[in-house]
Amino acid sequence: DTAAFSVAQKLLHKAAIALRKMDGWAQGVHLSIRYVDRSKWSEEVRIHECQDTFTLNRILKELWVKRKPGVPMKLSVTLFNLISTDEKTLSFFDNQKQINLSHAMDQLNLKYGKNLIYLAGMHTSKKSAPTRIAFQNIPDFSIDDDKE
């Protein structure tokens, strides 16, 4: 169960990096799980515009505790209702320190190597969730971390 959550964190981390790289903000997080017994569970939550890894990880944890019991076989984490910075509403609730720290982590990882800095919960999943090339989407290898 801890290993599965670690993979979910890694997926979220990669999505958050891509979101910041395109100067975007998410207004929702969706978690979907397919279990070994072929059953499924999913839930989503709408959020105030967000792009920092720390807030998104807190939201992922809130979704994770709601999941049904079982052995996960497949996980997906989706950020949705994406907007650009130009569309973002100013808010007193934005944690600018966490936003700045997320951007700083991105810059350090880009300059000195992927996974130089990451959330501690991801440590056991650094080699999990490898990059796949989808039919109409070529991955950005500056974000994806299969080849270190």
Side-chain angles (χ1 to χ4, degrees):
D1 212 35
T2 304
F5 182 68
S6 181
V7 171
Q9 281 185 306
K10 180 179 179 188
L11 293 171
L12 178 77
H13 179 73
K14 288 169 68 171
I17 292 169
L19 182 68
R20 288 188 295 275
K21 187 171 185 175
M22 63 182 244
D23 200 25
W25 298 78
Q27 295 179 311
V29 180
H30 180 264
L31 174 63
S32 178
I33 303 173
R34 176 174 285 179
Y35 295 91
V36 173
D37 67 3
R38 296 196 173 268
S39 64
K40 298 177 186 177
W41 175 91
S42 69
E43 186 156 334
E44 66 184 37
V45 61
R46 296 192 183 270
I47 58 174
H48 177 74
E49 296 104 348
C50 180
Q51 68 172 195
D52 75 90
T53 302
F54 306 99
T55 302
L56 293 169
N57 191 59
R58 180 182 48 79
I59 293 162
L60 178 65
K61 286 179 185 177
E62 291 170 8
L63 288 171
W64 189 259
V65 297
K66 295 178 182 179
R67 78 195 184 290
K68 74 177 199 123
V71 179
M73 180 176 68
K74 178 181 174 183
L75 296 167
S76 71
V77 177
T78 307
L79 303 178
F80 64 93
N81 285 353
L82 306 182
I83 61 169
S84 69
T85 297
D86 295 338
E87 300 171 283
K88 185 181 178 319
T89 309
L90 294 177
S91 171
F92 293 113
F93 302 109
D94 286 342
N95 187 329
Q96 197 59 46
K97 288 182 181 179
Q98 288 183 344
I99 295 168
N100 292 345
L101 183 56
S102 293
H103 282 280
M105 288 171 57
D106 294 348
Q107 291 169 355
L108 287 169
N109 284 332
L110 186 61
K111 185 173 183 176
Y112 295 107
K114 300 170 201 96
N115 285 330
L116 176 73
I117 299 175
Y118 53 88
L119 299 174
M122 290 174 34
H123 186 69
T124 59
S125 69
K126 281 177 44 177
K127 301 287 185 205
S128 301
T131 303
R132 303 281 198 266
I133 298 177
F135 288 106
Q136 295 182 355
N137 180 22
I138 298 172
D140 182 345
F141 288 103
S142 68
I143 295 170
D144 297 321
D145 53 4
D146 293 348
K147 297 177 177 124
E148 296 183 2

